Amino acid sequence: MSYAEVNGLRLWYEEHGTGRPLVLLHGGFGAVEMFGAILPALAARRRVVAVDLQGHGRTADVDRPLRYESMADDVAALITRLGLVEADVLGYSLGGGVALRTAIQHPALVRRLVVVSAPCRRRGWYPEVLAGMPEPDEEAGERMRGTPPYELYARVAPRPEGWPTLWAKTGELLRRDYDWSAEVAALATPTLLAFADGDSVTTAHMVEFFGLLGGGHRDAGWDGTDRPASRLAVLPGLTHYDIVASPALPAAVLPFLTHPARAPG
C-alpha cells in the first residue's frame, strides 16, 4: 500500500496477491474498497493493483479537471512506474471509462481490458440515468454528507474537506458529452464487456458496444473459430449498483483473462 508520484499527482495504490498484474479502477465517488467483496477471488489468481483515482479515496485532488483521458494517463504512468511491461485493466462505471481510455491511449500497456457497466458513448446510459447525474454544484455536494460514499471519503481522504469539490468536478465530468465509438472500433486489445441485466446502460448499447469490438456479426462456427477476441457477459439478476460485489463478476472475468485469445481480425 503506497503512493506513486505520477503526472503531478500522489496516486494511491495497493497490491494484493501474486501473478500476472490486474489493475482495478473503481466507480465514481468510490475507492479501492468498492472491490472489497470480489478482491479475494481476484487476488487468489492475480497480482491485483487497486487504484484510488484523482480526487477519490486516498488520492488527493490536484488543480486540474476530472477527465477520463487524464486519469487514463495516470493509470498508464502507474503501470510504467511499477515496472510492468503490460497489465490487464478492469474498470467499473466511471472507472470503466478510465480503463477504456487507458487501452485506447496506451494500447501497448494493456494486455486485456475489462469494462464493467460503462458505455463507450454518453448516450449509452438510460435517459433517466443521464438526467439524474450529479449537478456540478458544491452546495449539492454538501447536501450529500452522511451518505455512504461521503462516509467512505471522510474516513480515508487525506483532505476530507474536499468532498464538495469532488462532487462538483465529478458532476461536470459526467455531464460532458463523449462518443468513443470510432476509437473502440479500432481497438485491438481483447476486451470483455460485463453488464448487469438490470444495468444503467441500455441493452441496445451493450450490443452496439460489442458490435464495435467485432462481436455479434456472425455465427462463431461449430468450433468457435469465427468468434471475436472480445466477449460480452450480461450477468442475470444484478443491477449497476451491485454487479461489482457479485461473485458472478470474477467468475466471468477470470476465465477471460486466462483463456487464449486470437488476435482480432
Side-chain angles (χ1 to χ4, degrees), residues 15 125 189 225 231:
E15 298 194 57
W125 301 103
T189 306
T225 56
R231 296 183 178 181

Side-chain angles (χ1 to χ4, degrees), residues 2-7 9-11 13 47 74-84 109:
S2 185
Y3 284 101
E5 301 287 341
V6 298
N7 301 331
L9 191 70
R10 294 190 73 234
L11 191 70
Y13 70 96
R47 174 187 173 185
D74 296 338
V75 173
L78 176 64
I79 292 171
T80 301
R81 180 72 175 266
L82 294 177
L84 306 177
L109 294 179

Side-chain angles (χ1 to χ4, degrees), residues 39-52:
L39 184 59
L42 296 174
R45 302 272 296 277
R46 313 291 294 202
R47 174 187 173 185
V48 173
V49 180
V51 178
D52 282 352

Side-chain angles (χ1 to χ4, degrees), residues 55-68:
H56 290 76
R58 299 158 187 81
T59 299
D61 199 10
V62 292
D63 186 19
R64 72 180 193 196
L66 282 183
R67 294 290 183 267
Y68 293 108

Side-chain angles (χ1 to χ4, degrees), residues 9-14 22-36 38-39 42 48-60 66-68 71-72 74-75 78 89-100 102 114-118 125 149 152-153 156-157 163 166 170 173-174 240 243-245 249:
L9 191 70
R10 294 190 73 234
L11 191 70
W12 171 265
Y13 70 96
E14 52 188 69
L22 171 63
V23 177
L24 300 184
L25 306 176
H26 59 78
F29 306 111
V32 298
E33 282 81 358
M34 193 168 274
F35 293 104
I38 63 171
L39 184 59
L42 296 174
V48 173
V49 180
V51 178
D52 282 352
L53 296 167
Q54 177 192 340
H56 290 76
R58 299 158 187 81
T59 299
L66 282 183
R67 294 290 183 267
Y68 293 108
M71 289 187 283
D74 296 338
V75 173
L78 176 64
V89 180
L90 181 156
Y92 161 67
S93 194
L94 181 145
V98 177
L100 178 56
T102 304
V114 181
V115 177
V116 182
S117 291
W125 301 103
L152 171 61
Y153 183 87
V156 303
W163 170 259
L166 174 63
T170 303
L173 170 67
L174 296 179
H240 185 80
I243 186 174
V244 77
L249 185 57

Side-chain angles (χ1 to χ4, degrees), residues 103-104 106-108 110-113 186-192 213 229-230 256 264:
I104 289 170
H106 305 276
V110 181
R111 172 183 170 269
R112 295 198 183 181
L113 170 67
L187 193 63
T189 306
T191 300
L192 170 65
L213 294 166
S230 295
F256 168 74

